[in-house]
Amino acid sequence: MGKGLRILLVDDHRVLRTGMKMLLSSQSDFQVVDEASDGKEALDKLAAEDIDVVLLDLSMPGMGGMECLREIRLRNYPVKVLILTMYSEQQYIKEVMLQGADGYLCKDSLDSELFQAIRAVADGGRYLGPKDAYLLIDSLINEPPEVVELSKREREVLALLVHGYSLSVIAEKLYISIKTVSTYKTRLMQKLGCTQKSELVDYALKHNLLS
């Protein structure tokens, strides 16, 4: 078995994984031991291998990064998770940190910053790039606008939608029909003045409805 930090790459783009593996291999204290193309595959790898740090993308088909992160923490895998994504909006940063990520870094960051982030989380610290840290602090110090009153069921449906669950899965979790879930989704969009799912995500995060 090789020496150094054992890293699992999780991203649905094979070319990106190949490039990332070559980049990380330039560091003597890094060892990319495996790759995964979605969250489910990543969980299977974690169950079978000894991993120190997971580099996890957020946007992937099937099980995305957010759901995978929640499962990693629920299963108590002793790994550090560094989110490596193209999204830099403050709502994503805040949510992944609340869900238990150890760090957050945009894919357009410098190589040296990526190396620094991996070593920081591996040592037990938290890592945010300067811009991401500013966005997170800004989201914490600015008061959110007045919250629209939602029923308990509406909050449940909203939270599950934001976490990426399909209408059929939400229906199964809440023991209601898919048609009823669809009705709740339409009602939420109208009530909150949203025209697309990304706006529902923004609203839920700004008003702390996912805790």
Side-chain angles (χ1 to χ4, degrees):
M1 181 164 46
K3 297 180 179 180
L5 295 173
R6 296 172 60 83
I7 299 171
L8 171 65
L9 296 179
V10 187
D11 195 291
D12 59 315
H13 294 99
R14 184 174 181 180
V15 173
L16 188 146
R17 295 199 312 269
T18 299
M20 187 66 66
K21 185 173 183 178
M22 292 178 62
L23 175 64
L24 296 175
S25 296
S26 69
Q27 303 298 295
S28 61
D29 57 334
F30 293 164
Q31 181 192 8
V32 178
V33 296
D34 216 332
E35 306 171 26
S37 59
D38 61 27
K40 184 179 183 302
E41 186 179 359
L43 292 172
D44 291 339
K45 302 287 186 182
L46 287 170
E49 300 188 64
D50 180 20
I51 304 293
D52 298 311
V53 179
V54 179
L55 296 188
L56 181 63
D57 187 24
L58 283 181
S59 180
M60 296 179 289
M63 180 184 286
M66 194 76 78
E67 187 178 353
C68 180
L69 173 61
R70 289 198 302 272
E71 283 298 317
I72 288 173
R73 294 313 179 211
L74 283 172
R75 300 183 188 188
N76 292 316
Y77 288 132
V79 297
K80 303 298 182 182
V81 180
L82 175 62
I83 300 297
L84 191 61
T85 178
M86 61 185 292
Y87 300 112
S88 61
E89 289 84 355
Q90 65 183 26
Q91 61 264 28
Y92 291 107
I93 302 169
K94 183 177 180 180
E95 174 63 2
V96 296
M97 298 308 283
L98 287 173
Q99 291 293 335
D102 298 286
Y104 189 104
L105 195 63
C106 287
K107 289 180 178 178
D108 61 0
S109 301
L110 297 175
D111 297 350
S112 58
E113 187 175 8
L114 172 61
F115 301 154
Q116 180 183 352
I118 293 173
R119 293 182 179 112
V121 299
D123 286 339
R126 293 290 186 98
Y127 189 91
L128 287 175
K131 181 181 177 182
D132 299 326
Y134 171 81
L135 289 172
L136 181 59
I137 292 171
D138 185 60
S139 73
L140 294 174
I141 63 176
N142 286 303
E143 289 293 329
E146 184 179 351
V147 182
V148 175
E149 189 67 31
L150 298 178
S151 68
K152 181 176 182 291
R153 180 64 85 190
E154 287 172 337
R155 284 173 175 263
E156 290 173 339
V157 173
L158 176 60
L160 291 170
L161 284 170
V162 169
H163 283 312
Y165 292 107
S166 66
L167 298 186
S168 59
V169 172
I170 294 174
E172 182 179 348
K173 284 180 174 291
L174 299 181
Y175 303 102
I176 57 179
S177 69
I178 297 177
K179 183 177 180 180
T180 301
V181 176
S182 180
T183 299
Y184 271 114
K185 180 181 177 182
T186 301
R187 186 187 304 169
L188 284 165
M189 299 284 270
Q190 294 173 342
K191 207 168 185 178
L192 304 179
C194 299
T195 58
Q196 52 190 0
K197 185 180 174 182
S198 62
E199 293 175 354
L200 282 178
V201 174
D202 291 348
Y203 186 92
L205 292 172
K206 287 177 182 177
H207 297 87
N208 298 314
L209 297 180
L210 305 183
S211 57

